[in-house]
Amino acid sequence: MKHLPIYFHVARRRCLVVGGGEVAARKIELLIRREARVTVVAPEVCASIAARRNENKLQHEARTFLDGDLVDADLVFAATDDRALNRHVAELAQARRLPVNVADDPELCTFIMPSIIERDPVQVAVSTGGASPVLARLLRARLESFIPAAYGRLAALMAAFRERVRKRLPDMTRRRRFWEDVLHGPIAEMLFAGREQAALQALEQVIADSSMHPPMHGEVYLVGGGPGDPDLLTFRALRLMQQADVVIYDRLVAPEIVALVRRDAERIYVGKERDQHTVPQPEINALLVQLAKEGKRVLRLKGGDPFIFGRGGEEIETLSGEGVPFQVVPGITAAAGCASYAGIPLTHRDYAQSCVFVTGHLKNDRMDLNWPALVQPQQTLAVYMGVHGLDALCRELVTHGMRADMPVALVERGTLPRQRVLIGTLESLPALAKKSDVQPPSMVIIGEVVKLHEKLKWFSG
Ligand code: SAH
C-alpha cells in the first residue's frame, strides 16, 4: 500500500483544474458540491462546465495553461487530453509541493481520487490504489446498496446533539454505549422510516431524562419479501431482516429469502397451508404484540407485498390498538413479479388499459366475485390463489361473457428457479394445468397481453 486515505477540507480553498472536458467536469462537480473555489483553465469547456460557469459556481480562464496559474492554488487537477501538458502541470505542482492529481496517469499523481459513496455528511471512499478503477466502482455499487440513504440524516442528528451528550456523559465509555444504543434502537429506526421529527423529539426526551437510557422497546417490521427471487428484495427489507431479533414467517416466503435473515434471529414458522392454518390469524396477531412488548425487534415476513392479499392490514390493526410501534415495507407483489419474469406486461397500449388484482380463493367451494366487473374489454386479470378453483374461475368468466379463447397464463413458482409458464385459453387451461400437475404458489394471468409471452419471454428459471 502506498496511499493513505485522508479527507481534504476543500471548502473555500482554491482548486485549480486544468482541462475542460468530461473528465475535468466530473472532478469539478465533486469540488463544487464541497464548496471549493474552482478555477478552470482551458481554451474551451464542455457544456456542463459552461453551465456551472454561467451559474457563477466556478471561474473560467479561457486560454491555455500558464505556469503562473499555480500560484494561488491549494489543490491541482490536470485533466486535459494532452499528456505532455498534464505532465508539465504535475511537475510544476510537485516542485511547489502542491498536491496534484492527473487523470489516468497514476505515476504523476501525489493523490488519487477514490470512488465515493455520499451520504452527506457521511462519505465512504473506495480505492484500489489505482490498480483497477472498474473494481473500485463495482465495490462502490455494492456498498451503495448496503448503506441506507438516511445515514446522512442520522449523522447530522447525532452531530446536532453531540455537545449536549458530551456534557451529560463526560465518561467516554458511557457516551459510546449511549450512541450505540441510539444507533441500534428505535430512534435510528424512526429516522430511517422518514419520521425525522419523531426521532428528534425522542432524542430530546432521552437527554432530558436523568437516566440517559435510550429506549430499547420492541417494534414490528411488517416486511414484504417479494415473490421469491432474493434479488427482488428492497434495501430496506434486507436491512431490517439483518437486524431483527425474531422472525415470523409462513409458507409463502421462499426459503431463499428466509436464509437472508440474521443468522442468530429466532425463527417462528406459522405455516398456512391452504385451508389448514397452522397458527390461526388471531394468534399470530397476539404473538406479534407479545414479542414486541418483550422488547424484541420482530420481523413479520410476508410473501410478495404485505398489503396485497397478505392480511398485513389486520396484523397492524392489532399492533396499533396495543400501541406497539411498527413500520411497513412494501414488496414486489406476485402479479408484478410473475408478469415480469414471464414476459407478460400487465398493461399495454394496444391490449390492456387496466389491470385488476383479484383472489380466486374458494369459500365453501364457491368463488364469490363481481363477475361483470371482471369481464371488461382491454383489461388484464391477475388472479391470486386461483389454481385450486381454476375450473370454476374459467367457467364463470365464460358464462359472464368473456371469450372462451381468451389467452390465459399460469405462472408456477414465479421468479424462482424452475419457474414454469403454461399458456392456454379459458377453455383449455384447466385441463392443461391438471395434466401438468401444477403446484402452489401459482398465479393466473388472463387477458390479451398473455399473447406477448411468446415474443417477450426471457427468463428460463
Ligand atoms: N401478499 C402476496 C400474495 C399472497 S396470496 C403478494 O403480494 O404476492 C398467495 C398467492 O400469491 C398464491 O396463491 C399465488 O397465487 C401468489 N403467489 C405468491 N408467490 C408466487 C410465486 N412466486 N409465483 C406464483 N404465484 C405466487
Side-chain angles (χ1 to χ4, degrees), residues 193-215:
R195 296 163 55 212
E196 211 143 332
Q197 210 48 37
L200 198 84
Q201 277 166 10
L203 201 50
E204 283 282 1
Q205 207 170 2
V206 181
I207 291 174
D209 186 65
S210 58
S211 67
M212 286 288 279
H213 278 309

Side-chain angles (χ1 to χ4, degrees), residues 344-408:
I344 301 173
L346 291 175
T347 67
H348 188 285
R349 275 160 58 110
D350 299 334
Y351 304 113
Q353 276 74 53
S354 64
C355 172
V356 176
F357 290 1
V358 60
T359 163
H361 191 64
L362 292 171
K363 251 193 217 149
N364 308 325
D365 274 335
R366 279 185 45 116
M367 207 176 283
D368 229 354
L369 294 172
N370 180 356
W371 299 106
L374 300 184
V375 184
Q376 292 293 327
Q378 308 260 305
Q379 175 169 277
T380 307
L381 303 181
V383 189
Y384 291 74
M385 299 171 272
V387 173
H388 194 67
L390 192 62
D391 275 340
L393 176 73
C394 293
R395 195 177 53 240
E396 291 283 358
L397 286 172
V398 174
T399 309
H400 288 83
M402 198 179 273
R403 283 167 36 204
D405 63 350
M406 179 62 86
V408 185

Side-chain angles (χ1 to χ4, degrees), residues 221-414:
Y221 315 135
L222 177 60
V223 172
D229 182 346
D231 279 5
L232 298 178
L233 283 169
T234 60
F235 294 152
R236 185 173 292 180
L238 189 62
R239 186 172 57 75
L240 295 176
M241 285 161 73
Q242 292 185 344
Q243 75 178 32
D245 299 309
V246 43
V247 50
I248 300 182
Y249 65 103
D250 44 53
R251 200 174 59 101
L252 245 194
V253 184
E256 290 87 339
I257 304 277
V258 181
L260 294 174
V261 175
R262 205 181 90 196
R263 225 166 270 284
D264 46 358
E266 183 189 349
R267 287 165 159 69
I268 302 179
Y269 175 74
V270 288
K272 274 204 180 165
E273 310 286 325
R274 210 181 59 81
D275 292 339
Q276 175 207 327
H277 292 194
T278 317
V279 180
Q281 191 66 48
E283 274 178 44
I284 298 178
N285 301 353
L287 185 64
L288 292 175
V289 171
Q290 182 205 324
L291 290 167
K293 286 196 169 168
E294 285 169 13
K296 298 199 168 112
R297 291 168 294 188
V298 186
L299 174 76
R300 174 63 173 125
L301 189 56
K302 294 271 189 186
D305 182 276
F307 279 3
I308 296 182
F309 304 126
R311 306 189 76 170
E314 295 164 51
E315 292 179 8
I316 55 176
E317 252 178 71
T318 317
L319 296 174
S320 141
E322 296 277 343
V324 172
F326 61 85
Q327 54 176 300
V328 186
V329 182
I332 291 185
T333 191
C338 292
S340 294
Y341 278 54
I344 301 173
L346 291 175
T347 67
H348 188 285
R349 275 160 58 110
D350 299 334
Y351 304 113
Q353 276 74 53
S354 64
C355 172
V356 176
F357 290 1
V358 60
T359 163
H361 191 64
L362 292 171
K363 251 193 217 149
N364 308 325
D365 274 335
R366 279 185 45 116
M367 207 176 283
D368 229 354
L369 294 172
N370 180 356
W371 299 106
L374 300 184
V375 184
Q376 292 293 327
Q378 308 260 305
Q379 175 169 277
T380 307
L381 303 181
V383 189
Y384 291 74
M385 299 171 272
V387 173
H388 194 67
L390 192 62
D391 275 340
L393 176 73
C394 293
R395 195 177 53 240
E396 291 283 358
L397 286 172
V398 174
T399 309
H400 288 83
M402 198 179 273
R403 283 167 36 204
D405 63 350
M406 179 62 86
V408 185
L410 198 148
V411 185
E412 179 189 59
R413 288 177 57 84

Side-chain angles (χ1 to χ4, degrees), residues 3 17 19 57 83 92 97 129 156 170 187 199 201-202 243 262 288 302 334 347 358 370 386 399 407 419 445 456:
H3 296 91
V17 180
K57 297 279 191 196
R83 279 196 91 172
L92 278 182
R97 308 266 156 117
I187 294 181
Q201 277 166 10
Q243 75 178 32
R262 205 181 90 196
L288 292 175
K302 294 271 189 186
T347 67
V358 60
N370 180 356
T399 309
Q419 163 179 300
I445 302 175
L456 303 184

